[in-house]
Amino acid sequence: MESKAKKYKRVLEGIVVSDKMDKTIVVKVESKQKHPLYGKTISKNKRYKAHDEKNECHEGDLVRVIECRPLSKDKKFRLTKIIKKAERIEKDSIDSDVENVLKREKHAPEAAVSSQVEGE
């Protein structure tokens, strides 16, 4: 008996929108279609869960996934390649930047008042 398996596997490229699960990523794939009557280009987004064995992907990465056997209820794709890594910003540097901005805002009203007094 011959098996009637698919002759091809879908290969999709998209952006990782979530990496919070263990060994699983959520990939957003955008497809563009032309409207049959009006001819306007319509973009549609679809999210797929994919298996990331080494937990090497993070949010914002551009990745390539390939269709495989069902690994869980929703997971039917597997990560094949990270095309482009997203630029990562450390949380500590963000916190220090926010603190600096807040300090400047606290001192800004005083500077504005003193410059008005000097101008008079």
Side-chain angles (χ1 to χ4, degrees), residues 14-118:
I15 297 174
V16 178
V17 292
S18 175
D19 64 342
K20 295 175 184 171
M21 295 172 274
D22 186 34
K23 296 186 179 184
T24 302
I25 55 174
V26 180
V27 180
K28 181 178 81 170
V29 177
E30 183 176 320
S31 63
K32 296 191 179 209
Q33 297 177 331
K34 204 165 196 177
H35 191 280
L37 179 60
Y38 301 115
K40 182 177 178 179
T41 304
I42 301 168
S43 63
K44 295 184 178 185
N45 295 320
K46 184 141 181 169
R47 293 162 51 117
Y48 296 97
K49 288 184 184 167
H51 185 67
D52 178 12
E53 182 63 38
K54 298 175 187 169
N55 282 327
E56 56 192 357
C57 287
H58 299 288
E59 284 187 31
D61 293 351
L62 182 64
V63 296
R64 182 174 293 144
V65 294
I66 189 167
E67 193 174 25
C68 64
R69 66 180 178 83
L71 301 170
S72 69
K73 177 185 169 188
D74 297 326
K75 206 165 31 166
K76 293 166 181 63
F77 285 86
R78 160 174 61 83
L79 175 71
T80 56
K81 184 178 179 183
I82 300 173
I83 298 169
K84 183 179 176 186
K85 285 285 221 182
E87 292 184 21
R88 306 287 296 163
I89 301 173
E90 293 180 21
K91 189 176 182 209
D92 296 334
S93 66
I94 292 173
D95 292 340
S96 63
D97 291 342
V98 170
E99 288 174 10
N100 291 337
V101 170
L102 292 175
K103 286 178 185 175
R104 277 188 253 139
E105 287 179 1
K106 287 181 183 176
H107 297 294
E110 295 170 3
V113 170
S114 64
S115 66
Q116 288 177 351
V117 172
E118 292 172 6

